[in-house]
Structure formats: C-alpha cells, structure tokens
C-alpha cells in the first residue's frame, strides 16, 4: 500500500470538516478513518465502509466525500443529525475481521456519542452485531431498525417515481425500462420493487455470485457487462454500486432519460451535475434518493422508539422533495444537483439542533 503524508485541509474534499480521525491498531490490524463534517443539526451519523482501498489517501478522500454527503442527506431528509462517516481499510476476507471490527467500535466509543454509525458497503448484519457488542453508538441493529438497504431502495423507488412523473407524465413502472448497476443489497432490493411492478430490468455486477442470485430472483432480467451498463438505452439508469459514475467521459455515453440510484457520490465533480443538465438528463441527487436507509436507522434513536410506520412516512416524503427540486431546477434552469445542494445548505447552515 502506498504511504503518503497529506496536508488534509488543502484537499477540496476537506470542506471545513469539524473532525477527522485516523485510527490504527497493530494487534488487530485495524486501520480506519472517521470523519465528522457538520453537527449543526445534531450528532454526526453515517455508515462505516469496509473496503480494500489501494491507499490511505484513497480511503481518506472517500471518507471526507462520504461524510460531507451525509450532512446534505440529513438536511434534506429532515432528520436532526449531522454528517459523518467511517471507513475501515481491510480486505473482506481478512482473517482477523471480527477483531478489526471490535477495535473499530472501541474507537467509535471515544467520540462519546458525537458519531453514530452502522452499515455501509462491505458491512454485513453480522458485522453490525459484532460492532454493537462493543459500542452503544451502533445503529441498524438486528431487532431494532435492522438492515437499512431495503429502506434505501424504497427511497430510491419513490424518488424515481417523481422523475418518471415529470419526464413521462405518469409514475407507472409497467412498460418502463431500468438499468441497475450493482445488484447488491440496495440494487437487489430496488430490482425487486421494479420487477414486481412490471418494470423491464437490465443489470450488471462485477461479482458473479450477485449476478447468479439476480438471475434466480428475476428470471427475465438481462445481464450486461459492468462497463456497458451505463450505455443502455433505458428510461432510468440506477447506479447502485460505488460512486464516481458520472464524468466528462461517461456522460456523453448515457442513453437514459432519468438517473436515480442508491450509490453515494455518483458525480465525479460538481461540473458533472451541470453536464447532465446540459445533456437534458434528469439527475435525481444521490443523497436525496438514497436517504431511506438513514431515515430508518436514525429512527432507532427516536425517544418514542423505533417505528417502521413513521419511517415509511418519512421515506415517502423523498418523492415530494424530489419533485420540489426538479420543479425548481426547471424553473431556474439550474442543475438539480445545484438546487439540492443550496436547499440542503440553507437547512444545515441555518439549522439549530432540534430535540429528537
Ligand atoms: P453492496 O456491497 O451490497 O452492493 C454493491 C454491489 O456493487 C456489489 O454487488 C458489488 O459487487 C457491485 N459493484 C461494485 N463495483 C461495481 C462495478 N464497477 N460495476 C458493477 N457492479 C459493481 O452495497 P450496498 O449496500 O448495496 O450499497 C450500494 C451503494 O449504495 C453504495 O454506494 C452505498 O454507499 C450506497 N448506499 C447504501 C445504503 C444501504 O443501506 N446499504 C444506503 C445508502 C446508500
């Protein structure tokens, strides 16, 4: 692994983060970053990613981007929390995986409730149990909120309906075509919602097991190579893998009308929001569409206790917020990504901590 020293505050991703911590533990093999972007609205919250990053710099930049996005996500989802994120740098088959997770949870405890965390890419429900045994600041626990992915997919589904309504005049799924990149927890659950309602699916995943499972669950799905999925002629393209899908090379290759997916940080840069707007492709901002998972897990912290009924109601509101952003974008002739960012900033910059 490449080792470098960075002047962190000079990175564009730094964006006034309130705190960034690096933690390592030789005994277990833990190496991780925890980032807290903004706590104006409440304690930071955001999942922990477990990933075999190629370098510490890559992991560092990732945690900064992800935690910043959580601030925006919390603001638009109207939950009284701020943005944070953790990343663990390790191979998924690491022999001391459980020890790494336990050591990480103890580091989370040091933040004394300024950071709540749970599942993200590479973290399983079993991992959540390991973390929760060591820390009271783990959310999305079994028997409480549980796995956030189906809720994240449901939020994407509602956001996507707002897009269909504006572009096609109705939100019907039957007869529409969808390309889904990443057939994992969120992508798989989204496929389920679309397939059940008569949507035509094209999917791709780099993991052959995930492809096999998708073919079993959705017998009529068409599978294409991962590098071809964004080129499919479809009504909606749903990126549900990792981030960075859209840039000046990939955007001209798109043949969809709407982009709405679960992956975090889909735009490689702010400019890409403008590019999509220029190409006449309706982009539903990722952090708005995929907020269902967040809404579900923070409900566990509600003093009234977890309620799936309240979660569903709030997740459904994503459709209304998406519609509002799309309409404003049309009115102002500005990219949806810009409109969403300004709206979120208005909320968290002027925001006061509310009672949970
Ligand atoms: P996951 O690990 O279950 O699924 C991701 C899938 O993407 C995997 O099957 C992986 O093989 C595949 N993949 C990776 N790179 C790929 C590529 N280049 N082409 C095709 N497939 C590729 O993770 P998940 O929980 O489904 O999360 C997916 C995305 O959604 C992530 O960006 C995550 O941050 C975001 N997200 C997840 C949640 C949640 O609750 N799980 C909530 C909000 C946002």
């Amino acid at each position: 692994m490449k080792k470098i020293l960075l002047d962190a505050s000079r990175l564009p991703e730094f964006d006034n983060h309130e705190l960034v911590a690096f933690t390592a533990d030789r005994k277990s093999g833990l190496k991780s970053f925890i980032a807290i972007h903004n706590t104006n609205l409440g304690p930071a919250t955001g999942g922990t990613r477990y990933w075999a990053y190629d370098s510490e710099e890559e992991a560092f930049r990732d945690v900064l981007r992800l935690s910043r996005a959580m601030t925006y996500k919390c603001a638009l989802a109207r939950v009284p929390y701020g943005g944070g994120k953790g990343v663990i740098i390790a191979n998924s088959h690491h022999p001391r995986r459980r020890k790494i997770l336990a050591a990480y949870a103890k580091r989370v405890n040091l933040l004394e409730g300024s950071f709540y965390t749970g599942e993200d890419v590479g973290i399983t429900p079993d991992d959540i149990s390991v973390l929760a045994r060591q820390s009271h600041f783990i959310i999305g626990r079994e028997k409480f909120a549980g796995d956030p992915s189906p809720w994240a997919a449901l939020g994407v589904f509602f956001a996507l309906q707002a897009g269909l309504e504006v572009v096609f005049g109705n939100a019907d799924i039957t007869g529409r075509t969808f390309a889904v990149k990443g057939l994992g927890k969120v992508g798989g659950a989204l496929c389920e919602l679309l397939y059940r309602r008569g949507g035509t699916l094209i999917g791709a995943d780099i993991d052959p097991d995930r492809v096999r499972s998708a073919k079993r669950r959705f017998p009529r799905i068409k599978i294409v190579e991962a590098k071809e999925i964004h080129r499919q002629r479809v009504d909606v393209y749903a990126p549900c893998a990792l981030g960075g899908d859209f840039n000046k090379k990939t955007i001209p290759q798109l043949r969809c009308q709407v982009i709405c997916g679960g992956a975090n940080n889909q735009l490689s840069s702010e400019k890409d929001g403008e590019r999509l707007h220029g190409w006449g492709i309706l982009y539903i901002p990722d952090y708005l569409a995929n907020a269902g998972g967040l809404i579900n897990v923070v409900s566990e912290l509600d003093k009234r206790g977890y309620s799936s009924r309240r979660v569903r109601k709030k997740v459904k509101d994503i459709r209304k917020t998406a519609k509002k952003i799309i309409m404003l974008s049309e009115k102002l002739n500005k990219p949806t990504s810009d409109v969403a960012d300004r709206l979120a900033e208005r909320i968290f910059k002027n925001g006061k901590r509310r009672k949970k």
Side-chain angles (χ1 to χ4, degrees), residues 49 51 66 73 85 119-122 147-150 152 181-187 204-207 210 226 240-243 262-264 290-291 293-294:
R49 189 167 281 198
W51 196 249
L66 290 164
K73 193 184 297 195
K85 203 84 184 185
E119 190 175 329
D120 193 63
V121 175
D147 182 4
S149 334
K181 176 180 176 181
L183 302 168
K185 288 174 287 186
V186 178
D205 199 295
I206 50 171
D207 179 346
R210 288 268 161 92
C240 296
L242 302 181
N264 280 308
N290 69 20
L294 163 76

Side-chain angles (χ1 to χ4, degrees), residues 59 74 129 138 140-141 157 213 239 262 268 290 312 317 328 346:
C74 290
S129 306
I138 306 302
R141 292 164 297 164
F157 177 76
S213 149
S268 298
N290 69 20
R312 192 178 165 88
D317 285 346
L328 258 173
R346 228 174 39 224

